[in-house]
Amino acid sequence: MAANEEEEGTSPLLSKEEERRHHPGCPGCDHDRRKDLQTGLPYKEFSYVWMICLTTALPISSLFPFLYFMIRDLHVAKRTEDIGFYAGFVGASFMFGRCLTSTLWGIAADRIGRKPVVVFGILSVVIFNTLFGLSVTYWMAIATRFLLGALNGLLGPMKAYAIEVCRPEHEPLALSLVSTAWGIGLIIGPALGGYLALPAEKYPNIFSPDSLFGRYVYPNRVS
């Protein structure tokens, strides 16, 4: 009798067959069933992970090649020696915003789903990175960078998504894709930022000095 009770206490409440039973209308069951039916790597889903993580990392470091010149032309520093001091706050504001909201974005992704959080994060990158490039005051530059970081809660949900779309044996590869895309974004970001800075001066045959790219890249050139 004791052996039977001990056996009952250690046996699972549901058999493996019952645990795998598909319940119509259950999103979790549908998701698990799709994973069970996978025969190889989910290349399409992995490509989404790669592209989104890459674009998320680009704004972090893309400003560093021209940040010194941007702060100089914003005329917030009274001395040349103070430019680095003010540039540091602009560079740090992005990560400060991220550290305040990353946990909240993870909670939101669990409550409302990964897709809404990812879509909102991508839109915030496009909007606030553009506004940062159009900054005409020092405080606008700090505010847009801070909001870019605070509203960019993509990394945590993308790690969760990468694991959820593949079978257990492919999870290490999925997480390595996130880290690799992130690292490549940090490499490409400064290169793109330096290459595309001051387009009207570097490429006058393409961008007119009177165009948006010539007038609003740095505020001292605004007519």
Side-chain angles (χ1 to χ4, degrees):
M1 179 70 70
N4 291 337
E5 289 179 356
E6 185 177 344
E7 204 173 294
E8 289 177 1
T10 57
S11 62
L13 295 177
L14 294 174
S15 66
K16 290 185 179 180
E17 199 61 38
E18 289 173 329
E19 289 178 347
R20 290 178 175 273
R21 183 179 300 167
H22 176 64
H23 299 277
C26 174
C29 294
D30 292 337
H31 181 74
D32 290 339
R33 187 178 186 184
R34 284 195 297 269
K35 288 176 63 173
D36 291 337
L37 294 175
Q38 283 182 5
T39 57
L41 292 172
Y43 290 103
K44 183 176 70 173
E45 288 77 7
F46 278 0
S47 66
Y48 296 156
V49 172
W50 174 273
M51 290 186 292
I52 293 174
C53 291
L54 180 67
T55 54
T56 303
L58 288 177
I60 297 176
S61 56
S62 60
L63 80 161
F64 293 126
F66 61 83
L67 181 58
Y68 174 90
F69 304 101
M70 184 178 186
I71 299 301
R72 180 198 64 187
D73 295 337
L74 286 171
H75 304 298
V76 66
K78 296 181 180 179
R79 303 182 305 164
T80 303
E81 294 81 0
D82 296 333
I83 292 178
F85 173 78
Y86 290 100
F89 285 105
V90 176
S93 59
F94 177 89
M95 284 301 179
F96 181 62
R98 287 199 63 174
C99 78
L100 293 179
T101 61
S102 291
T103 303
L104 298 177
W105 283 118
I107 296 173
D110 288 337
R111 296 284 181 86
I112 64 176
R114 319 293 185 211
K115 186 175 180 180
V117 172
V118 170
V119 171
F120 184 83
I122 293 173
L123 290 176
S124 70
V125 169
V126 173
I127 294 172
F128 289 102
N129 207 38
T130 302
L131 290 176
F132 172 73
L134 299 175
S135 296
V136 294
T137 66
Y138 176 71
W139 291 109
M140 180 180 177
I142 284 188
T144 51
R145 284 291 292 181
F146 174 80
L147 291 173
L148 176 61
L151 300 177
N152 181 7
L154 290 173
L155 187 58
M158 286 310 299
K159 286 183 177 179
Y161 174 81
I163 292 177
E164 291 170 349
V165 297
C166 65
R167 296 175 63 87
E169 60 266 26
H170 298 143
E171 290 178 2
L173 175 61
L175 290 178
S176 68
L177 284 176
V178 175
S179 301
T180 304
W182 186 263
I184 292 176
L186 295 179
I187 295 172
I188 297 176
L192 284 176
Y195 186 76
L196 298 176
L198 295 171
E201 291 186 7
K202 290 183 179 179
Y203 317 108
N205 295 330
I206 301 176
F207 303 101
S208 170
D210 297 326
S211 66
L212 180 69
F213 296 97
R215 298 177 61 195
Y216 294 100
V217 174
Y218 295 121
N220 68 329
R221 292 184 176 81
V222 177
S223 57

